[in-house]
Amino acid sequence: MHPFKVVLVIEAELLQLWQWDVSRWLVSAGCRYLLAWGKDAGAWEESVDEASLEAADYEDAPEDQLVITTSHVDEDLDEVFWFAKNRAQHPLHDLRQTLILHIADAEQRDALEERYRQA
């Protein structure tokens, strides 16, 4: 996959081991900018940071493998979507693809995609 952005919308609690597996998968799949929003957003930001370090064998990662992470605890989801579309940039990659990863008990794909389009 080409490098991409992820807006992580967390509305359910998960086992920590699963969170780490998802974080590693995101980094290895090409996530280069993560915006975490919702339940435990700070913990998700940390786990993706850690997965990025792990992928570089705890050395300084080359700039093209840099993963920028942010957590948006006190912001409205629409503001996070707007920021992802208009301001979230990587120093080397033109991140044209954005993945909305929704972790919840109920699927809301259409509603989230519409909110993202409207942002």
Side-chain angles (χ1 to χ4, degrees), residues 46-85:
E46 289 176 22
S47 67
V48 171
D49 283 341
E50 183 69 23
S52 177
L53 287 169
E54 183 179 279
D57 292 325
Y58 297 93
E59 301 287 332
D60 288 336
E63 259 192 79
D64 67 325
Q65 293 179 15
L66 172 69
V67 180
I68 299 168
T69 60
T70 58
S71 60
H72 302 267
V73 179
D74 296 324
E75 295 176 47
D76 183 70
L77 182 56
D78 293 327
E79 293 172 353
V80 177
F81 282 158
W82 183 90
F83 185 81
K85 287 176 70 172

Side-chain angles (χ1 to χ4, degrees), residues 2 11 24 41 45 52 65 81 84-85 88 94 101 109 112:
H2 296 284
E11 296 183 313
R24 287 182 186 108
E45 179 184 14
S52 177
Q65 293 179 15
F81 282 158
K85 287 176 70 172
D94 183 13
L101 181 56
R109 179 181 180 162
L112 288 172

Side-chain angles (χ1 to χ4, degrees), residues 9-104:
V9 179
I10 312 130
E11 296 183 313
E13 289 185 37
L14 301 173
L15 295 173
Q16 192 173 31
L17 288 174
W18 193 83
Q19 177 180 334
W20 287 99
D21 287 343
V22 170
S23 298
R24 287 182 186 108
W25 172 78
L26 287 170
V27 171
S28 69
C31 174
R32 296 296 173 257
Y33 203 117
L34 174 97
L35 300 95
W37 179 88
K39 189 176 281 207
D40 298 324
W44 276 93
E45 179 184 14
E46 289 176 22
S47 67
V48 171
D49 283 341
E50 183 69 23
S52 177
L53 287 169
E54 183 179 279
D57 292 325
Y58 297 93
E59 301 287 332
D60 288 336
E63 259 192 79
D64 67 325
Q65 293 179 15
L66 172 69
V67 180
I68 299 168
T69 60
T70 58
S71 60
H72 302 267
V73 179
D74 296 324
E75 295 176 47
D76 183 70
L77 182 56
D78 293 327
E79 293 172 353
V80 177
F81 282 158
W82 183 90
F83 185 81
K85 287 176 70 172
N86 297 289
R87 295 282 188 236
Q89 297 180 3
H90 192 278
L92 293 181
H93 298 292
D94 183 13
L95 303 176
R96 295 179 186 192
Q97 296 177 324
T98 301
L99 170 69
I100 300 170
L101 181 56
H102 184 217
I103 299 172

